[in-house]
Amino acid sequence: MTYLENTMKRPVALLGVVAAAATLAACGSGTGAEGPAGPPRPGGTLRYGLSLAPTCSDPAQAGTNQTLYVTRQIVDSLTDQHPGTGEITPWLAQSWEVSPDAKAFTFHLRPGVTFSDGTPVTAASVQKNFDAIVRTLTGAKAPLAASYLAGYTGTTAPDPLTARVEFDRPNAQFLQASSTPQLGILADATTAKSADERCLGDNIGSGPFTYAEYRQGSSATLAKRTGYSWGSAVFAQQGEAYLDRIEFRVVPESGVRSGSLSSDQLDAISDALPQDVPQIEATGGTVQVTSNPGLPFGIQPNVTRGPLRDPAVRTALETAVDRKELVDTVLGPQFRAADGALSSKTPAHVDLSGRLGYDADAAKRLLDQAGWVPGSDGIRAKDGVRLSFGVLFSRAFAGNQAILELIQQQLRKVGVDARLEVAADAEYTARQNSKDYDSLYYNLTRADGDILRTQFGLADRNLNVRGPIPPLDQALSEQLQAVDPAARAQLIGHAQQLVIDNGLYIPTIELSQAIGVSNTVQDLKFEASGRLQFHDTWLR
């Protein structure tokens, strides 16, 4: 799961923020300074302020954006994904073929690529990486990576530079999955380690940077990989990275991060808040913003517990949430109200805002018709059961508390009592895995609509704890069999509608990355999943 970490206050305390940040611009170009900067120059150390401490140094196990900003730099993937078009492009693999039944994927690797310990990147490397994810890391340690490899039967090597990855069922999503950092390729010395050992910072990849130092939960320093010449087709240039080093420092307080940027103690920072923008811009800096693809933040109900078993209740919740108020009051203009089951930057996204418009009166009517009658305290009840349910959430995105408190107020207006249940990350994960919740509040980043299958699929995580819904089950299954992108997009679009039709998700807001950048930093870019890519970045 991916999150922002900031020092966001409660809704009432943020009422004046939006006006102060009206000039905040969305930006994906990665240019950090005004005016011509000249040709890129190699050298220098970029000092980056993380809002949340990096956790596991293994890309396969990294979960938060702040950790992936670090781990993405040390590992290459078989493919890459163009952040603008969603097209899958070459990286370690020069070309590939997908079998007609989408069960086998054959990758032809680029020759001459080495890991930072000097060992070659071969088809055997691919096999050992994927085997380790399935057999060593497992879903508990690396849930996203494991979901990408569901049904994996093995990798064979017809020759040293040809890797044939096979599954026991159609798996059309795997081509996009091969572009993610979770399936990045690591050296044998790393894949042979236990899951816990892989978190200690000496991971060996073939990427444009290597670990110079990694202090789990504290800091990380990366050094340029000399001789790197096999960059992704998405990169602007194919040689070594420009930066000599990247120093990641943890600065949890947003005001301290922005102050450090303005005073030249940092060169770039995570999670620049709207109230930080004037200070950043006053010293010539900018704020670069992008929305994360995948599942927007939302409430996923357990349809086997309490009032959320009633489809009418779930449908009423969809129009009882005022998403615009969440953005305007709590977050600021760099965020978007969610308009469907997928975020707007996800390939095959369908805009369902017409179904999710705020209409408290319509929600009340629906609950009236379903027999939920307001009580003396305004909370509805039916057959002696109060219309009350818990919302389990984590503070790993500090905006969660403020957002959910405002949602709690909105739902109370229509007679619904949402009880907020905050949990530490470990407890949250344990309860999620055991399905011990009335509902979950979370988001999940991935630039592919298959994220719907992994979270809602009857045979997958099924966080709704639902029974069969044949049209939805069919759409989620058939998109895995669809090699044709247009046919697959149509199926994913149908699945999005069915998720909303059945009240399986109440979307709220899209997660955004807002990166403060000084006027010395050039070409700091977002990759397709909204994480940072430093290969093309340079200092003027």
Side-chain angles (χ1 to χ4, degrees):
M1 212 170 292
T2 56
Y3 312 91
L4 285 166
E5 176 75 8
N6 57 41
T7 55
M8 211 169 278
K9 308 298 182 186
R10 296 294 179 263
V12 173
L14 287 181
L15 287 173
V17 166
V18 176
T23 60
L24 185 63
C27 174
S29 67
T31 300
E34 297 179 1
R41 298 189 304 181
T45 297
L46 187 145
R47 302 158 299 173
Y48 190 93
L50 295 168
S51 59
L52 181 68
T55 55
C56 180
S57 61
D58 177 12
Q61 299 181 70
T64 67
N65 277 330
Q66 305 304 301
T67 305
L68 286 163
Y69 288 168
V70 180
T71 62
R72 170 77 279 184
Q73 317 314 318
I74 65 105
V75 67
D76 297 325
S77 299
L78 289 172
T79 64
D80 203 356
Q81 186 173 17
H82 193 285
T85 66
E87 177 188 5
I88 304 301
T89 61
W91 198 344
L92 290 179
Q94 298 181 116
S95 62
W96 52 85
E97 296 94 41
V98 180
S99 66
D101 61 3
K103 290 183 179 180
F105 299 76
T106 303
F107 297 93
H108 303 283
L109 304 182
R110 187 183 301 206
V113 179
T114 59
F115 295 108
S116 58
D117 64 355
T119 59
V121 176
T122 66
S125 308
V126 176
Q127 175 254 313
K128 290 177 181 178
N129 272 265
F130 294 167
D131 284 359
I133 289 171
V134 172
R135 298 168 188 170
T136 304
L137 302 184
T138 72
K141 293 288 187 180
L144 274 182
S147 73
Y148 300 158
L149 291 170
Y152 173 76
T153 59
T155 299
T156 56
D159 62 65
L161 294 179
T162 302
R164 180 179 172 88
V165 185
E166 298 186 78
F167 298 87
D168 64 9
R169 68 200 76 165
N171 196 13
Q173 64 83 33
F174 176 69
L175 186 60
Q176 188 278 337
S178 71
S179 72
T180 64
Q182 286 83 6
L183 296 189
I185 307 303
L186 295 160
D188 293 359
T190 298
T191 57
K193 294 181 178 181
S194 70
D196 290 341
E197 289 173 330
R198 289 174 61 157
C199 289
L200 301 180
D202 55 354
N203 310 71
I204 300 169
S206 64
F209 292 91
T210 63
Y211 284 126
E213 182 181 51
Y214 195 95
R215 296 179 179 177
Q216 188 172 2
S218 177
S219 64
T221 300
L222 306 183
K224 176 168 68 176
R225 169 83 190 277
T226 58
Y228 184 85
S229 62
W230 45 83
S232 157
V234 173
F235 294 172
Q237 59 94 20
Q238 294 300 300
E240 298 176 359
Y242 294 113
L243 297 171
D244 288 335
R245 294 170 73 85
I246 308 171
E247 295 179 355
F248 292 95
R249 308 171 186 176
V250 181
V251 186
E253 301 81 9
S254 64
V256 176
R257 284 197 305 276
S258 59
S260 298
L261 182 68
S262 298
S263 62
D264 195 34
Q265 298 176 67
L266 293 173
D267 301 301
I269 61 171
S270 289
D271 305 338
L273 299 186
Q275 61 263 39
D276 300 328
V277 175
Q279 181 181 18
I280 293 171
E281 292 183 341
T283 53
T286 58
V287 177
Q288 298 176 194
V289 178
T290 191
S291 292
N292 280 38
L295 283 185
F297 271 109
I299 298 171
Q300 187 162 1
N302 179 342
V303 301
T304 68
R305 285 172 53 153
L308 294 175
R309 292 177 293 181
D310 187 343
V313 170
R314 303 197 302 269
T315 301
L317 294 178
E318 291 176 345
T319 57
V321 174
D322 186 344
R323 296 162 181 84
K324 184 177 185 299
E325 185 181 28
L326 298 178
V327 171
D328 291 348
T329 304
V330 180
L331 298 171
Q334 74 267 41
F335 285 81
R336 290 174 53 104
D339 62 14
L342 291 177
S343 295
S344 57
K345 287 197 68 175
T346 316
H349 158 264
V350 173
D351 184 343
L352 299 173
S353 54
R355 301 276 309 281
L356 297 169
Y358 176 59
D359 192 336
D361 290 337
K364 291 177 182 178
R365 287 194 300 271
L366 188 56
L367 293 171
D368 288 340
Q369 293 166 6
W372 293 94
V373 180
S376 59
D377 62 352
I379 301 303
R380 295 171 181 265
K382 178 180 179 180
D383 300 329
V385 177
R386 278 171 56 86
L387 211 175
S388 177
F389 62 90
V391 183
L392 179 66
F393 72 100
S394 163
R395 283 201 183 101
F397 169 34
N400 283 349
Q401 181 89 27
I403 289 167
L404 286 170
E405 286 178 352
L406 183 51
I407 290 173
Q408 187 180 48
Q409 297 170 27
Q410 294 173 349
L411 296 185
R412 182 167 284 274
K413 292 177 182 178
V414 302
V416 177
D417 174 36
R419 306 185 312 274
L420 305 187
E421 300 175 355
V422 64
D425 289 348
E427 179 190 353
Y428 177 91
T429 300
R431 289 183 62 182
Q432 183 186 65
N433 289 340
S434 64
K435 310 289 175 68
D436 178 22
Y437 50 82
D438 293 338
S439 70
L440 295 170
Y441 186 75
Y442 72 104
N443 86 302
L444 196 58
T445 296
R446 187 183 178 189
D448 190 275
D450 186 64
I451 198 72
L452 295 173
R453 175 190 61 85
T454 61
Q455 302 304 100
F456 298 91
L458 190 62
D460 294 279
R461 300 194 77 190
N462 187 15
L463 295 177
N464 295 109
V465 202
R466 66 176 178 87
I469 303 175
L472 176 59
D473 299 333
Q474 183 177 359
L476 294 176
S477 175
E478 289 185 355
Q479 61 89 16
L480 280 180
Q481 305 172 42
V483 177
D484 176 65
R488 185 163 180 259
Q490 185 175 14
L491 289 162
I492 290 171
H494 186 43
Q496 292 169 64
Q497 296 176 28
L498 291 167
V499 165
I500 299 301
D501 285 348
N502 288 277
L504 301 181
Y505 205 61
I506 297 90
T508 59
I509 57 99
E510 295 187 5
L511 177 63
S512 288
Q513 307 302 309
I515 308 300
V517 181
S518 79
N519 60 8
T520 63
V521 177
Q522 301 294 305
D523 294 330
L524 178 56
K525 298 176 179 178
F526 297 107
E527 43 100 274
S529 59
R531 282 71 180 245
L532 292 176
Q533 178 59 265
F534 290 87
H535 178 271
D536 294 334
T537 305
W538 57 284
L539 300 173
R540 72 171 187 173

